[in-house]
mmCIF file of all heavy atoms in Angstrom:
data_model
loop_
_atom_site.group_PDB
_atom_site.id
_atom_site.type_symbol
_atom_site.label_atom_id
_atom_site.label_comp_id
_atom_site.label_asym_id
_atom_site.label_seq_id
_atom_site.Cartn_x
_atom_site.Cartn_y
_atom_site.Cartn_z
ATOM 1 N N ARG A 85 -1.355 -5.314 18.572
ATOM 2 C CA ARG A 85 -2.018 -5.509 17.283
ATOM 3 C C ARG A 85 -1.874 -4.276 16.403
ATOM 4 O O ARG A 85 -1.558 -4.361 15.208
ATOM 5 C CB ARG A 85 -3.497 -5.818 17.503
ATOM 6 C CG ARG A 85 -4.298 -6.046 16.215
ATOM 7 C CD ARG A 85 -5.776 -5.738 16.416
ATOM 8 N NE ARG A 85 -6.001 -4.325 16.684
ATOM 9 C CZ ARG A 85 -7.174 -3.834 17.074
ATOM 10 N NH1 ARG A 85 -8.209 -4.645 17.264
ATOM 11 N NH2 ARG A 85 -7.322 -2.531 17.291
ATOM 12 N N ASP A 86 -2.116 -3.102 16.999
ATOM 13 C CA ASP A 86 -2.124 -1.874 16.206
ATOM 14 C C ASP A 86 -0.734 -1.495 15.709
ATOM 15 O O ASP A 86 -0.604 -0.835 14.668
ATOM 16 C CB ASP A 86 -2.725 -0.737 17.034
ATOM 17 C CG ASP A 86 -4.210 -0.957 17.328
ATOM 18 O OD1 ASP A 86 -4.797 -1.865 16.705
ATOM 19 O OD2 ASP A 86 -4.769 -0.239 18.173
ATOM 20 N N MET A 87 0.312 -1.909 16.434
ATOM 21 C CA MET A 87 1.673 -1.673 15.961
ATOM 22 C C MET A 87 1.886 -2.358 14.613
ATOM 23 O O MET A 87 2.525 -1.800 13.708
ATOM 24 C CB MET A 87 2.691 -2.204 16.968
ATOM 25 C CG MET A 87 4.140 -2.081 16.517
ATOM 26 S SD MET A 87 5.320 -2.683 17.752
ATOM 27 C CE MET A 87 4.976 -4.446 17.703
ATOM 28 N N VAL A 88 1.324 -3.552 14.466
ATOM 29 C CA VAL A 88 1.429 -4.288 13.204
ATOM 30 C C VAL A 88 0.684 -3.543 12.100
ATOM 31 O O VAL A 88 1.183 -3.392 10.979
ATOM 32 C CB VAL A 88 0.881 -5.719 13.361
ATOM 33 C CG1 VAL A 88 0.818 -6.427 12.010
ATOM 34 C CG2 VAL A 88 1.742 -6.506 14.340
ATOM 35 N N LEU A 89 -0.508 -3.041 12.408
ATOM 36 C CA LEU A 89 -1.300 -2.331 11.412
ATOM 37 C C LEU A 89 -0.619 -1.032 10.970
ATOM 38 O O LEU A 89 -0.613 -0.695 9.783
ATOM 39 C CB LEU A 89 -2.697 -2.036 11.963
ATOM 40 C CG LEU A 89 -3.549 -3.264 12.300
ATOM 41 C CD1 LEU A 89 -4.883 -2.834 12.898
ATOM 42 C CD2 LEU A 89 -3.778 -4.118 11.057
ATOM 43 N N VAL A 90 -0.048 -0.314 11.938
ATOM 44 C CA VAL A 90 0.674 0.921 11.605
ATOM 45 C C VAL A 90 1.874 0.605 10.721
ATOM 46 O O VAL A 90 2.143 1.308 9.735
ATOM 47 C CB VAL A 90 1.112 1.653 12.893
ATOM 48 C CG1 VAL A 90 2.049 2.811 12.558
ATOM 49 C CG2 VAL A 90 -0.102 2.171 13.652
ATOM 50 N N ALA A 91 2.594 -0.454 11.037
ATOM 51 C CA ALA A 91 3.774 -0.829 10.249
ATOM 52 C C ALA A 91 3.393 -1.245 8.839
ATOM 53 O O ALA A 91 4.077 -0.899 7.869
ATOM 54 C CB ALA A 91 4.521 -1.960 10.953
ATOM 55 N N LEU A 92 2.294 -1.977 8.705
ATOM 56 C CA LEU A 92 1.863 -2.441 7.379
ATOM 57 C C LEU A 92 1.344 -1.304 6.504
ATOM 58 O O LEU A 92 1.327 -1.428 5.270
ATOM 59 C CB LEU A 92 0.764 -3.500 7.521
ATOM 60 C CG LEU A 92 1.205 -4.879 8.013
ATOM 61 C CD1 LEU A 92 -0.007 -5.748 8.279
ATOM 62 C CD2 LEU A 92 2.128 -5.547 6.996
ATOM 63 N N ALA A 93 0.936 -0.204 7.126
ATOM 64 C CA ALA A 93 0.317 0.890 6.366
ATOM 65 C C ALA A 93 1.270 1.479 5.334
ATOM 66 O O ALA A 93 0.847 1.812 4.218
ATOM 67 C CB ALA A 93 -0.162 1.985 7.326
ATOM 68 N N GLY A 94 2.548 1.621 5.677
ATOM 69 C CA GLY A 94 3.511 2.217 4.753
ATOM 70 C C GLY A 94 3.724 1.385 3.503
ATOM 71 O O GLY A 94 3.473 1.860 2.377
ATOM 72 N N PRO A 95 4.171 0.124 3.639
ATOM 73 C CA PRO A 95 4.304 -0.732 2.449
ATOM 74 C C PRO A 95 2.986 -0.932 1.716
ATOM 75 O O PRO A 95 2.963 -1.012 0.485
ATOM 76 C CB PRO A 95 4.823 -2.053 3.027
ATOM 77 C CG PRO A 95 5.495 -1.677 4.303
ATOM 78 C CD PRO A 95 4.698 -0.533 4.847
ATOM 79 N N GLY A 96 1.877 -1.018 2.473
ATOM 80 C CA GLY A 96 0.572 -1.166 1.830
ATOM 81 C C GLY A 96 0.247 0.024 0.948
ATOM 82 O O GLY A 96 -0.277 -0.134 -0.163
ATOM 83 N N MET A 97 0.557 1.220 1.420
ATOM 84 C CA MET A 97 0.341 2.419 0.616
ATOM 85 C C MET A 97 1.190 2.383 -0.648
ATOM 86 O O MET A 97 0.715 2.723 -1.744
ATOM 87 C CB MET A 97 0.669 3.667 1.441
ATOM 88 C CG MET A 97 0.663 4.957 0.639
ATOM 89 S SD MET A 97 -0.942 5.343 -0.122
ATOM 90 C CE MET A 97 -1.858 5.897 1.326
ATOM 91 N N ASN A 98 2.443 1.953 -0.529
ATOM 92 C CA ASN A 98 3.316 1.892 -1.706
ATOM 93 C C ASN A 98 2.805 0.897 -2.736
ATOM 94 O O ASN A 98 2.856 1.162 -3.947
ATOM 95 C CB ASN A 98 4.739 1.531 -1.296
ATOM 96 C CG ASN A 98 5.433 2.650 -0.544
ATOM 97 O OD1 ASN A 98 5.934 2.445 0.561
ATOM 98 N ND2 ASN A 98 5.453 3.835 -1.115
ATOM 99 N N LEU A 99 2.286 -0.247 -2.283
ATOM 100 C CA LEU A 99 1.741 -1.217 -3.227
ATOM 101 C C LEU A 99 0.467 -0.690 -3.884
ATOM 102 O O LEU A 99 0.221 -0.931 -5.070
ATOM 103 C CB LEU A 99 1.472 -2.545 -2.520
ATOM 104 C CG LEU A 99 2.719 -3.319 -2.074
ATOM 105 C CD1 LEU A 99 2.319 -4.591 -1.337
ATOM 106 C CD2 LEU A 99 3.599 -3.660 -3.280
ATOM 107 N N LEU A 100 -0.345 0.032 -3.125
ATOM 108 C CA LEU A 100 -1.548 0.642 -3.692
ATOM 109 C C LEU A 100 -1.169 1.662 -4.765
ATOM 110 O O LEU A 100 -1.746 1.680 -5.864
ATOM 111 C CB LEU A 100 -2.357 1.317 -2.590
ATOM 112 C CG LEU A 100 -3.594 2.113 -3.044
ATOM 113 C CD1 LEU A 100 -4.609 1.203 -3.734
ATOM 114 C CD2 LEU A 100 -4.237 2.838 -1.863
ATOM 115 N N LEU A 101 -0.187 2.512 -4.478
ATOM 116 C CA LEU A 101 0.262 3.508 -5.447
ATOM 117 C C LEU A 101 0.838 2.829 -6.692
ATOM 118 O O LEU A 101 0.586 3.272 -7.817
ATOM 119 C CB LEU A 101 1.315 4.419 -4.818
ATOM 120 C CG LEU A 101 0.835 5.370 -3.722
ATOM 121 C CD1 LEU A 101 2.019 6.091 -3.092
ATOM 122 C CD2 LEU A 101 -0.170 6.374 -4.267
ATOM 123 N N ALA A 102 1.606 1.758 -6.482
ATOM 124 C CA ALA A 102 2.178 1.031 -7.619
ATOM 125 C C ALA A 102 1.083 0.439 -8.488
ATOM 126 O O ALA A 102 1.152 0.487 -9.727
ATOM 127 C CB ALA A 102 3.115 -0.072 -7.119
ATOM 128 N N GLY A 103 0.050 -0.116 -7.865
ATOM 129 C CA GLY A 103 -1.054 -0.703 -8.617
ATOM 130 C C GLY A 103 -1.821 0.337 -9.418
ATOM 131 O O GLY A 103 -2.142 0.122 -10.591
ATOM 132 N N LEU A 104 -2.111 1.484 -8.799
ATOM 133 C CA LEU A 104 -2.838 2.542 -9.502
ATOM 134 C C LEU A 104 -2.010 3.098 -10.663
ATOM 135 O O LEU A 104 -2.534 3.352 -11.749
ATOM 136 C CB LEU A 104 -3.195 3.663 -8.517
ATOM 137 C CG LEU A 104 -4.220 3.310 -7.432
ATOM 138 C CD1 LEU A 104 -4.372 4.469 -6.455
ATOM 139 C CD2 LEU A 104 -5.564 2.936 -8.041
ATOM 140 N N ALA A 105 -0.712 3.269 -10.426
ATOM 141 C CA ALA A 105 0.157 3.779 -11.487
ATOM 142 C C ALA A 105 0.259 2.780 -12.634
ATOM 143 O O ALA A 105 0.275 3.174 -13.811
ATOM 144 C CB ALA A 105 1.545 4.083 -10.920
ATOM 145 N N ALA A 106 0.324 1.483 -12.307
ATOM 146 C CA ALA A 106 0.403 0.457 -13.351
ATOM 147 C C ALA A 106 -0.867 0.446 -14.190
ATOM 148 O O ALA A 106 -0.811 0.285 -15.418
ATOM 149 C CB ALA A 106 0.631 -0.915 -12.714
ATOM 150 N N LEU A 107 -2.026 0.621 -13.558
ATOM 151 C CA LEU A 107 -3.288 0.697 -14.305
ATOM 152 C C LEU A 107 -3.289 1.895 -15.247
ATOM 153 O O LEU A 107 -3.697 1.778 -16.419
ATOM 154 C CB LEU A 107 -4.465 0.787 -13.331
ATOM 155 C CG LEU A 107 -4.814 -0.483 -12.550
ATOM 156 C CD1 LEU A 107 -5.901 -0.194 -11.525
ATOM 157 C CD2 LEU A 107 -5.260 -1.602 -13.497
ATOM 158 N N ALA A 108 -2.843 3.044 -14.746
ATOM 159 C CA ALA A 108 -2.784 4.241 -15.591
ATOM 160 C C ALA A 108 -1.828 4.031 -16.753
ATOM 161 O O ALA A 108 -2.101 4.454 -17.884
ATOM 162 C CB ALA A 108 -2.344 5.447 -14.750
ATOM 163 N N LEU A 109 -0.724 3.346 -16.488
ATOM 164 C CA LEU A 109 0.268 3.103 -17.529
ATOM 165 C C LEU A 109 -0.294 2.212 -18.629
ATOM 166 O O LEU A 109 -0.172 2.514 -19.821
ATOM 167 C CB LEU A 109 1.505 2.458 -16.900
ATOM 168 C CG LEU A 109 2.746 2.296 -17.779
ATOM 169 C CD1 LEU A 109 3.301 3.652 -18.177
ATOM 170 C CD2 LEU A 109 3.807 1.478 -17.044
ATOM 171 N N HIS A 110 -0.938 1.108 -18.238
ATOM 172 C CA HIS A 110 -1.412 0.130 -19.208
ATOM 173 C C HIS A 110 -2.649 0.597 -19.991
ATOM 174 O O HIS A 110 -2.768 0.331 -21.189
ATOM 175 C CB HIS A 110 -1.732 -1.192 -18.512
ATOM 176 C CG HIS A 110 -0.509 -1.962 -18.111
ATOM 177 N ND1 HIS A 110 0.389 -2.463 -19.029
ATOM 178 C CD2 HIS A 110 -0.028 -2.298 -16.894
ATOM 179 C CE1 HIS A 110 1.375 -3.087 -18.389
ATOM 180 N NE2 HIS A 110 1.143 -3.000 -17.099
#
């Protein structure tokens, strides 16, 4: 189970950063 969570953390972080940057942009 935790292998899945560790793997998802990287793309999840990138989507979080993209969302925050998009909010700052708009």
